[in-house]
Amino acid sequence: MFQNNETGVIQPIKEIASIVHKANDGSLFHTDAVQAVGHTRIDVKDLGVDMLSASAHKFNGPKGTGFLYVKDGCKISPFIKGGGQERNMRSGTENVAGIYAMAKALEENTNELDYNHHKIQVIEDKLLSELKKNNIAFVLNAKDSARATGVINLSFVNVDGEGLLHMLDIHDIAVSVGSACNSNDKEPSYVLLAMGVPKEQINSAIRISIGKYNTIEDVDKLVSCIVKFYNITNYVS
């Protein structure tokens, strides 16, 4: 995983790929770059990866589309056999509209990387400063690690993360607890557990994702809702 989808922590993919290939030059190294593509400058040759996967909805493209980069000379088996489409790798009618929309979304995001990064960083800084200003006791999980801008994992003192999630959902604010790709799993986040985060801190954690279409007004609404829930919870407790 290029950057963790729960905490935003950036993984040393180039170094890992080098270690794998030095240990066995016949090994193939694949990286799940779903969180990074369209948000981070990526050079597959510099990284030294053999394969890299991406999903369009992560960079404002259509859901259900994605792509797999495969290095020249890397042999893989066909995903679907049949008519021989996509160089005999994935037979069946191609989703031309989805492919085009994905490519266009990736092009737009790549061309606006610096602008989007700055905008999202301003919004993230605003969120954290407003929480502090309102005396909300929280912990930014993975604060001491290199993180991707716009992926924030926060634990709030004496707050049930899932309860906060449902309250925010009522106000049309979407956050997640744990991995959004595994929303039916009620077990504590294995990512935070592996980081050594205490269980009570994990249970109070939510993940907030900020995108290029978010605004300062969105932050004001989010903070207002968190403050109300936090004050009610801590008053009762």
Side-chain angles (χ1 to χ4, degrees), residues 85-173:
Q85 286 85 353
E86 299 192 40
R87 302 178 184 178
N88 292 311
M89 296 307 298
R90 188 185 185 282
S91 296
T93 303
E94 296 177 356
N95 178 11
V96 177
I99 294 169
Y100 177 83
M102 174 178 66
K104 194 64 179 177
L106 181 57
E107 180 183 35
E108 290 181 359
N109 267 33
T110 301
N111 290 339
E112 299 172 351
L113 273 179
D114 292 336
Y115 173 80
N116 290 339
H117 182 274
H118 174 72
K119 177 183 178 181
I120 293 170
Q121 186 66 64
V122 168
I123 295 174
E124 179 178 318
D125 291 344
K126 172 74 171 178
L127 169 61
L128 298 178
S129 66
E130 287 298 314
L131 290 174
K132 292 176 183 177
K133 188 183 298 184
N134 283 277
N135 299 314
I136 304 300
F138 68 90
V139 176
L140 174 58
N141 295 312
K143 66 176 181 178
D144 296 324
S145 303
R147 295 186 303 108
T149 304
V151 181
I152 313 169
N153 196 293
L154 300 176
S155 293
F156 297 92
V157 175
N158 295 328
V159 169
D160 175 61
E162 191 157 346
L164 177 58
L165 177 149
H166 291 308
M167 187 278 288
L168 292 173
D169 183 60
I170 292 173
H171 291 85
D172 297 321
I173 300 173

Side-chain angles (χ1 to χ4, degrees), residues 167-217:
M167 187 278 288
L168 292 173
D169 183 60
I170 292 173
H171 291 85
D172 297 321
I173 300 173
V175 299
S176 67
V177 290
S179 171
C181 302
N182 197 20
S183 59
N184 291 324
D185 189 356
K186 302 304 180 184
E187 293 299 314
S189 163
Y190 69 89
V191 172
L192 297 183
L193 281 173
M195 289 169 54
V197 177
K199 190 170 182 180
E200 62 273 14
Q201 189 173 315
I202 296 175
N203 291 336
S204 69
I206 64 170
R207 185 196 71 170
I208 301 169
S209 297
I210 302 171
K212 65 179 183 178
Y213 294 122
N214 286 120
T215 64
I216 293 297
E217 289 72 26

Side-chain angles (χ1 to χ4, degrees), residues 12 22 30-31 41 49 51 53 55-57 76 80 82 96 105 109 112 128 154 172 185 191 197 201 227 236:
K22 284 181 180 179
H30 165 265
T31 180
R41 300 191 187 282
V49 300
M51 291 177 282
S53 54
S55 186
H57 75 279
I76 60 174
I80 300 176
V96 177
N109 267 33
E112 299 172 351
L128 298 178
L154 300 176
D172 297 321
D185 189 356
V191 172
V197 177
Q201 189 173 315
V227 169
V236 172

